[in-house]
Amino acid sequence: MDQEQILTRITAMVEDEKKLRDSLAAGEIDVPTERERLAALERELDQCWDLLRRRRAKTEFGEDPDEVTVRPVAEVEGYQS
C-alpha cells in the first residue's frame, strides 16, 4: 500500500466512524454494536497511521518505504507515549 492508498483508507475509516455514530443516534444500532465496531475501526486506524509514519520515515532517510509492512494490532496497540 502506498501513501495515497493509506490516506484514502484512513479517510474511509473516519467516514465509517461517523456513519456508526449517526446510526446509533438514529436508533439503527445499539450501543454495544457501535462500541464493538468503533473499537475495530480504531485498531485498524492505529495500524494505518503506524504504517504511514514508518513509510514516511523510510522515505525521509532515503530508504525504500515498500519494505515496511503492517504490524500486528497487538504490537501497534502496545506502544506507550
Side-chain angles (χ1 to χ4, degrees), residues 15-31 33-34 37:
E15 289 172 9
D16 288 346
E17 186 177 36
K18 183 183 180 323
K19 288 176 188 173
L20 277 173
R21 294 186 192 284
D22 290 346
S23 292
L24 178 65
E28 298 168 354
I29 60 173
D30 60 12
V31 172
T33 300
E34 183 217 25
R37 290 181 185 171

Side-chain angles (χ1 to χ4, degrees), residues 20-79:
L20 277 173
R21 294 186 192 284
D22 290 346
S23 292
L24 178 65
E28 298 168 354
I29 60 173
D30 60 12
V31 172
T33 300
E34 183 217 25
R35 286 185 183 156
E36 180 182 322
R37 290 181 185 171
L38 282 175
L41 273 173
E42 288 170 1
R43 288 188 297 269
E44 190 176 348
L45 272 167
D46 287 346
Q47 285 180 298
C48 284
W49 282 117
D50 175 69
L51 180 63
L52 186 60
R53 280 190 298 272
R54 291 175 32 238
R55 285 183 59 86
R56 287 177 173 171
K58 285 274 191 184
T59 300
E60 181 179 342
F61 291 99
E63 298 176 27
D64 183 5
D66 291 333
E67 293 176 352
V68 178
T69 58
V70 176
R71 292 193 234 206
V73 169
E75 187 175 341
V76 174
E77 292 295 304
Y79 291 154

